[in-house]
Amino acid sequence: MELFFFDTDDGRMSVRDSTGLELEDREAARREAIAALTLIAKDVLPNDDPYAISVTVRDDQRQAIFHASLTLVAEWLV
């Protein structure tokens, strides 16, 4: 098992993970980061502005090893 840290940033709030999560490997950390984006996005109700959220994964040496972002755009068409 390896320790990974998941930092999030939505342009308004940045949260640096100080606890970490033990996972099997880097691929498991990548899957966890992408899953976190979808969970966060489902709870967001943007006000006609694009909403962007990102997750940066750091390893046990605190080095960034993976980054994923998601932009949610919701707009009235008429």
Side-chain angles (χ1 to χ4, degrees), residues 15 30-31 35 43 52:
V15 178
R30 182 189 75 83
R31 287 191 307 269
D43 291 331

Side-chain angles (χ1 to χ4, degrees), residues 21-49:
L21 182 62
E22 286 193 356
L23 297 168
E24 187 173 317
D25 56 19
R26 292 166 55 108
E27 180 57 29
R30 182 189 75 83
R31 287 191 307 269
E32 186 72 23
I34 293 170
L37 288 175
T38 61
L39 289 173
I40 294 167
K42 82 176 186 69
D43 291 331
V44 173
L45 297 172
N47 298 331
D48 295 336
D49 294 327

Side-chain angles (χ1 to χ4, degrees), residues 9-12 50-54 69-72:
D9 188 347
D10 71 356
R12 292 174 288 231
Y51 176 79
I53 182 79
S54 67
S69 64
L70 179 69
T71 301
L72 175 62

